[in-house]
Amino acid sequence: MAGGELAARVDLGAEQALVELAHADPRVVAVVNDSLGSTKVGKLDQVLPGFDADVVKMVERKLKRAKVKVHTSTRALGWEEDDAELLSIAARLHDVGKIGIRDSVLLKPGTLTGEEFDLMKSHTSIGARILSGGKSRLLRMAETIALSHHERWDGSGYPLWLAGEQIPMAARIVAVADVLEAMTGRRDYRRSLLLEEGIDHLRRRRGRDFDPDCVEALLSRRDAVARVVGAA
């Protein structure tokens, strides 16, 4: 999908993704501006005043919680501080491809049809295309995460059906943190789950959906995770 075509599909349903982009590293913002066509979308570092204040606050809280989870996991896995910080920045762009998903699917409150779910799954490849061609380590990592964060340890994920260590480590880490954030964060259509419920889910699905080492790494720093979940 060309940048102009993608830009033409940006609408209110993409607000959350755009707010996340506006908080991203300036190098990422510049690349995404070029990909989307700044004349259509507007410079991302200038879009926040036009968004609903509640959306902005909600996404800012989400970004803070997600960053702590990703950073905590990488440090527990033995990554150096600079690498952990880089990943926590790159991870913010994991859902950038949702900019290319139409409102009727992105905001649908009920169960998606098979056709709609196939469209939703395409946000991984759309996001990777938006971020492709970056020369910095940050952008290459962001592209990898955008493409692979829905792959599953047992090979049942998408879009490439990768399994086990075929899945890039950065994407494996983000997958665990993202699911816990989705389960324990506030959602309009359901109550927030308790941390214990989220942890139980991760434990049940390790070795199937998730890299067991990544699950254990996050849960080994439970106190840090509990603090940000409590701040939801």
Side-chain angles (χ1 to χ4, degrees):
M1 181 181 297
E5 294 175 82
L6 184 60
R9 296 179 59 184
V10 174
D11 50 30
L12 291 177
E15 277 195 353
Q16 293 185 29
L18 287 171
V19 174
E20 291 183 16
L21 286 174
H23 282 76
D25 183 280
R27 290 166 289 179
V28 177
V29 173
V31 169
V32 177
N33 271 322
D34 289 341
S35 296
L36 295 177
S38 60
T39 58
K40 192 75 177 182
V41 180
K43 290 295 184 181
L44 292 173
D45 55 2
Q46 299 172 5
V47 299
L48 288 184
F51 285 148
D52 182 277
D54 289 338
V55 172
V56 174
K57 289 177 182 177
M58 181 271 291
V59 175
E60 287 174 345
R61 289 195 299 268
K62 174 187 172 184
L63 288 173
K64 181 179 179 180
R65 294 192 305 266
K67 178 178 180 179
V68 171
K69 293 184 181 80
V70 171
H71 189 275
T72 295
S73 296
T74 53
R75 293 294 284 157
L77 286 164
W79 287 36
E80 296 295 332
E81 174 62 29
D82 288 350
D83 294 331
E85 182 65 18
L86 189 73
L87 177 56
S88 69
I89 295 172
R92 298 178 188 181
L93 276 298
H94 72 283
D95 273 342
V96 63
K98 287 183 177 178
I99 289 174
I101 306 300
R102 63 176 181 264
D103 261 7
S104 60
V105 173
L106 190 62
L107 300 180
K108 184 175 179 178
T111 303
L112 299 179
T113 66
E115 182 179 354
E116 289 169 338
F117 186 53
D118 285 341
L119 179 60
M120 181 66 85
K121 290 192 292 187
S122 71
H123 81 273
T124 54
S125 53
I126 292 172
R129 286 200 295 273
I130 290 173
L131 296 165
S132 64
K135 295 180 172 59
S136 72
R137 187 176 169 216
L138 171 68
L139 287 173
R140 291 196 300 271
M141 185 180 288
E143 178 187 353
T144 294
I145 294 168
L147 181 64
S148 303
H149 69 283
H150 280 291
E151 300 289 359
R152 294 295 175 252
W153 188 250
D154 64 2
S156 64
Y158 61 86
L160 301 177
W161 304 286
L162 302 179
E165 294 185 0
Q166 293 177 320
I167 307 168
M169 175 58 83
R172 285 183 255 161
I173 293 171
V174 172
V176 174
D178 184 44
V179 166
L180 187 61
E181 168 58 30
M183 295 184 72
T184 58
R186 184 183 307 170
R187 294 294 184 273
D188 290 339
Y189 53 86
R190 62 155 173 80
R191 70 176 179 86
S192 301
L193 299 182
L194 299 174
L195 177 59
E196 286 298 332
E197 294 174 287
I199 288 174
D200 286 346
H201 176 78
L202 294 180
R203 284 178 170 153
R204 286 195 306 271
R205 302 304 300 181
R206 62 185 171 188
R208 288 187 285 178
D209 292 352
F210 310 116
D211 179 344
D213 290 341
C214 292
V215 172
E216 292 308 313
L218 183 61
L219 300 187
S220 72
R221 304 293 177 89
R222 181 187 178 122
D223 288 348
V225 173
R227 283 194 292 273
V228 293
V229 170

